[in-house]
Amino acid sequence: MAVCEVCGNDYWLAFEVRAASGDTHTFDSFECAIHRMAPTCEHCQCRIVGHGVEVDGRFFCCAHCARSSGMARGHEIKDTVGAHPS
Ligand SMILES: [Zn+2]
Ligand SMILES: [Zn+2]
């Protein structure tokens, strides 16, 4: 049996997530995996569970947040999800 490293639940459907660093983490749910591993948007503090936006090593949930944080390159970033081709 695997025990979730966030909440301690011993769950037969627990799964492992291997990070790019090579560390392996065990969780019983995606909620716990997000809690432990998802980066946080610097602007609105929400968990980034989608692709998010990375600017100069800082993480944001969307292009709007990157621009709102005054990133020098913020104006270069566009959300592609749902964007209407123009
Ligand atoms: Zn858990
Ligand atoms: Zn945000």
Side-chain angles (χ1 to χ4, degrees):
M1 298 292 265
V3 176
C4 174
E5 67 182 58
V6 174
C7 67
N9 187 24
D10 189 344
Y11 186 39
W12 68 282
L13 284 176
F15 57 93
E16 290 188 341
V17 176
R18 194 162 66 89
S21 63
D23 295 336
T24 302
H25 302 278
T26 304
F27 305 107
D28 66 334
S29 65
F30 284 106
E31 182 173 6
C32 287
I34 290 165
H35 179 78
R36 174 70 175 79
M37 301 192 73
T40 303
C41 174
E42 284 199 17
H43 184 68
C44 68
Q45 267 77 55
C46 73
R47 288 290 181 176
I48 303 169
V49 296
H51 289 94
V53 178
E54 190 208 331
V55 187
D56 297 333
R58 296 164 65 182
F59 291 93
F60 302 95
C61 67
C62 61
H64 166 79
C65 283
R67 287 194 297 270
S68 298
S69 292
M71 296 301 291
R73 290 168 52 216
H75 64 280
E76 297 175 16
I77 304 162
K78 294 187 181 71
D79 281 316
T80 52
V81 178
H84 192 276
S86 57

